[in-house]
């Protein structure tokens, strides 16, 4: 299956105004125009939006949208999903207009996580004009590849079924895995000596997807956005401190994707990773590994 990148996320929230402040004033994203007054559309590059925050009764992930190249690729993907026994729903005109895309299908992974495949997302050619001069990384430095929004970590209580689905149905490449102690996965279906967490991607970003082997009520563990400079990350950390936002994990550098980042609590029970200097790999030569430590330094988790 020819999936190119994580295109967008849709998050429903009962804390809509908190999210407006969090995304615009703290993360430094830019409000975009949209079709629905109860949805906050957010830009970080030249796409019409990369994050949509929807006013609702609960805090949960509505969809992770993965991009394919064109209409033919979407047709092929739908056939492959149906051949694998996955129920696929084609989007109606209202959904296409809301997502600002030319084509879209909806389905779930084996653990019930809501996914969308799409093609032809609209661009916004006006200058981004971020509030702090911060710039987000959604493509390779040489301009030859789309890396997408960043990455998302999804809860998958059935880790084996989820890994098989993302590797063998969706065609993601496994980049590495990490053993987690039982206390790190209190919501696991069964307790073991350790649980495996996996990191995968359909492109050159080290990982666009993390699979966490447990449950989490919002249906999302965290998502990551990458910044162009370390100073962008440091200033973001200062803004979080000044706003009184709990820092879930201190600044540190990860062992797998080399990202220098911190994690901040977001409205609704999950986290946002704000990072810099993520690893870009060559899929043709990459060898999957087991990582034995989360970080080279830092990333001290608070609770």
């Amino acid at each position: 299956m020819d999936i190119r990148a994580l295109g967008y996320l849709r998050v429903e929230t009962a804390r809509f105004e908190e999210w407006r402040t969090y995304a615009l004033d703290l993360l430094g994203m830019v409000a975009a125009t949209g079709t629905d007054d109860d949805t906050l559309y957010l830009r970080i590059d030249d796409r019409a939006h990369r994050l949509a925050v929807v006013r609702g009764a609960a805090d949960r992930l509505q969809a992770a949208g993965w991009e394919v190249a064109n209409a033919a690729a979407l047709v092929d993907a739908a056939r492959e999903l149906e051949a694998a026994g996955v129920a696929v729903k084609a989007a109606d005109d209202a959904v296409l207009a809301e997502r600002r895309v030319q084509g879209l299908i909806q389905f779930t992974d084996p653990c019930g996580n809501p996914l969308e495949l799409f093609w032809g997302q609209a661009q916004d050619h006006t200058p981004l004009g971020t509030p702090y001069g911060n710039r987000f990384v959604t493509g390779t430095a040489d301009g030859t590849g789309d890396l997408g929004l960043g990455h998302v970590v999804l809860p998958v209580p059935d880790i084996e079924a989820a890994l098989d689905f993302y590797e063998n149905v969706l065609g993601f490449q496994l980049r590495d895995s990490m053993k987690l102690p039982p206390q790190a996965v209190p919501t696991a279906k069964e307790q073991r000596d350790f649980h495996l967490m996996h990191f995968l991607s359909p492109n050159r970003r080290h990982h666009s997807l993390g699979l966490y082997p447990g449950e989490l009520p919002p249906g999302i563990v965290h998502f990551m956005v990458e910044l162009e400079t370390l100073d962008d990350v440091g200033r973001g950390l200062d803004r979080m401190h000044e706003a009184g936002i709990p820092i879930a994990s201190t600044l540190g550098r990860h062992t797998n994707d080399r990202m220098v980042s911190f994690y901040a609590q977001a409205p609704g029970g999950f986290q946002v990773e704000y990072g810099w200097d993520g690893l870009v790999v060559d899929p043709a030569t990459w060898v999957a590994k087991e990582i034995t430590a989360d970080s080279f330094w830092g990333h001290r988790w608070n609770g």
Side-chain angles (χ1 to χ4, degrees):
M1 194 174 297
D2 188 19
I3 296 175
R4 301 297 179 89
L6 176 63
Y8 57 76
L9 295 173
R10 291 179 60 82
V11 176
E12 180 182 337
T13 183
R15 307 176 185 187
F16 189 76
E17 294 306 323
E18 288 182 48
W19 258 108
R20 186 188 302 276
T21 299
Y22 187 87
L24 300 178
D25 297 344
L26 302 182
L27 297 180
M29 295 179 174
V30 176
T33 58
T35 60
D36 183 356
D37 291 339
D38 286 326
T39 301
L40 175 64
Y41 301 88
L42 296 158
R43 288 181 62 200
I44 62 172
D45 60 4
D46 62 358
R47 297 300 184 91
H49 69 271
R50 291 287 194 174
L51 179 64
V53 180
V54 183
R55 190 192 304 271
D59 294 288
R60 65 184 182 94
L61 178 69
Q62 276 196 351
W66 299 92
E67 185 169 27
V68 299
N70 49 42
L74 188 64
V75 170
D76 289 344
R79 289 172 178 164
E80 291 180 47
L81 286 164
E82 289 170 343
V86 178
V88 174
K89 178 183 178 183
D92 60 22
D93 289 344
V95 171
L96 295 179
E98 194 283 327
R99 307 294 199 270
R100 300 289 304 278
V101 300
Q102 295 296 308
L104 184 146
I105 58 174
Q106 299 171 313
F107 57 100
T108 61
D109 73 12
C111 297
N113 292 305
L115 306 178
E116 297 178 350
L117 293 184
F118 71 91
W119 75 275
Q121 187 181 30
Q123 290 184 298
D124 187 331
H125 300 290
T126 60
L128 187 60
T130 56
Y132 311 106
N134 53 294
R135 306 293 295 181
F136 295 90
V137 175
T138 58
T140 56
D142 60 8
T144 61
D146 183 19
L147 301 178
L149 163 65
H151 72 238
V152 63
V153 177
L154 300 178
V156 288
D158 191 339
I159 190 71
E160 290 85 2
L163 181 62
D164 177 70
F165 177 78
Y166 284 99
E167 278 195 288
N168 298 318
V169 178
L170 297 192
F172 288 26
Q173 184 181 52
L174 177 66
R175 296 286 159 79
D176 52 43
S177 304
M178 180 171 59
K179 292 179 179 178
L180 300 178
Q183 58 267 31
V185 196
T187 59
K189 290 176 64 177
E190 57 183 276
Q191 287 303 309
R192 306 176 180 178
D193 292 338
F194 64 86
H195 302 280
L196 279 172
M197 183 171 180
H198 301 293
F199 302 88
L200 308 94
S201 187
N203 59 40
R204 294 174 60 193
R205 191 184 286 280
H206 174 272
H207 63 276
S208 302
L209 174 68
L211 300 177
Y212 171 77
E215 297 179 359
L216 199 66
I220 177 173
V221 180
H222 76 259
F223 71 83
M224 183 279 297
V225 288
E226 183 175 0
L227 285 297
E228 281 193 354
T229 72
L230 180 59
D231 286 343
D232 285 337
V233 174
R235 294 184 185 112
L237 181 57
D238 281 350
R239 294 193 296 272
M240 293 290 179
H241 282 306
E242 290 164 6
I245 301 297
I247 301 302
S249 178
T250 61
L251 193 71
R253 185 184 284 274
H254 281 306
T255 55
N256 58 355
D257 65 355
R258 308 299 195 268
M259 186 80 69
V260 176
S261 64
F262 68 89
Y263 293 71
Q265 293 290 354
F270 60 96
Q271 299 154 5
V272 173
E273 182 181 6
Y274 209 64
W276 164 77
D277 198 30
L279 183 64
V280 175
V281 311
D282 180 356
T285 60
W286 184 261
V287 176
K289 307 173 184 70
E290 177 192 332
I291 56 172
T292 58
D294 182 41
S295 302
F296 290 112
W297 55 267
H299 284 142
R300 294 184 180 179
W301 290 92
N302 300 312

